[in-house]
Amino acid sequence: VVEITHYVEADGIIAFPRLVIDAETQSEITVVERFISKDGIRSLVCPVVEVRSGANAHVNYVAINQLGLTTWMIAHQHSAGYRDSTSRLNTVALGGDYARVRAEVRLVETGASAQQLALYFASGTQMHDFRTLQRHEAPRTHSDLLFKGAVGGSARSVYTGLIRIEKNAAKSEAF
C-alpha cells in the first residue's frame, strides 16, 4: 500500500498535484491519496490522477477529501484498463466547501473491468459534485458504479454520469 498525503496549510494556495499510476502486466497496487486542510483555509486543490492497468493488473486507488470547509477541490480521475485488468477508483468525500470529482474509466481491451465507488457526507453549506464516465471500447468488458451519501442542513450533492458502449464492444456489461 502506498499512502500520499497533501496538506494545504495557508490561504491563497492553488495546488495542482498529479499522480500517475502505471501498473505493468500482472502487477497489483493500492494507493491511498489524502487531501487535508484546516477550516478557515481559503484555497483551491486541483488533483489529477491517471491510472493505467496493464494486462492482468489490479489497481485500487482511494482518494480521501478531508479538506476544511472553506477550501475548494476540483479533481479529475482517469483510468484505462487493458486485457483482463481490474481498476477501482474510490472516493471518500467529507470535506471542502465545493468539491467536484470527475471520474472516468476506459475499458480498452477485452476482459477489462472497472469499479467506481464513492461515499460522501456533507453538512452546512457544502456542495459535492460528481461526474462519471464509463466507456467500453472493447468486447466483454465490465463496469460497475455505486455512489452513496447523505447531506444535511443546506448542503447539496449532484451527480451526472454517462455509460458509453462503443459499437465493437459486444457483450459488455455496465451497472
Side-chain angles (χ1 to χ4, degrees):
V1 175
V2 175
E3 293 186 30
I4 302 164
T5 303
H6 305 278
Y7 292 100
V8 178
E9 297 178 339
D11 279 341
I13 300 292
I14 300 177
F16 296 95
R18 181 175 176 180
L19 174 63
V20 177
I21 302 169
D22 192 355
E24 293 294 327
T25 300
Q26 297 183 351
S27 65
E28 184 173 339
I29 189 167
T30 296
V31 177
V32 178
E33 190 171 30
R34 286 185 170 82
F35 304 91
I36 300 172
S37 72
K38 293 182 180 178
D39 284 338
I41 300 289
R42 294 184 179 276
S43 291
L44 172 64
V45 180
C46 301
V48 173
V49 64
E50 297 176 39
V51 176
R52 181 191 166 279
S53 300
N56 294 302
H58 299 278
V59 176
N60 188 28
Y61 171 77
V62 182
I64 303 173
N65 172 353
Q66 295 174 288
L67 295 168
L69 297 177
T70 54
T71 301
W72 279 40
M73 173 184 268
I74 300 174
H76 187 197
Q77 302 170 351
H78 182 269
S79 173
Y82 293 84
R83 182 171 298 278
D84 299 323
S85 67
T86 302
S87 304
R88 291 185 180 94
L89 297 179
N90 306 288
T91 300
V92 178
L94 305 172
D97 178 27
Y98 174 77
R100 176 193 298 173
V101 177
R102 179 182 171 102
E104 302 176 22
V105 296
R106 289 179 54 227
L107 302 165
V108 180
E109 292 182 347
T110 300
S113 69
Q115 184 178 49
Q116 294 169 282
L117 298 173
L119 174 63
Y120 61 92
F121 294 99
S123 61
T125 60
Q126 286 181 285
M127 170 63 164
H128 290 298
D129 180 350
F130 299 100
R131 301 163 190 219
T132 64
L133 173 62
Q134 296 158 262
R135 187 170 174 181
H136 295 257
E137 299 175 9
R140 293 186 304 280
T141 54
H142 178 90
S143 67
D144 195 4
L145 178 128
L146 179 63
F147 282 53
K148 293 277 188 174
V151 296
S154 60
R156 296 171 293 153
S157 173
V158 64
Y159 170 81
T160 304
L162 177 67
I163 298 170
R164 182 176 177 140
I165 300 178
E166 301 294 342
K167 289 183 181 181
N168 65 330
K171 298 185 181 178
S172 291
E173 297 178 331
F175 299 91

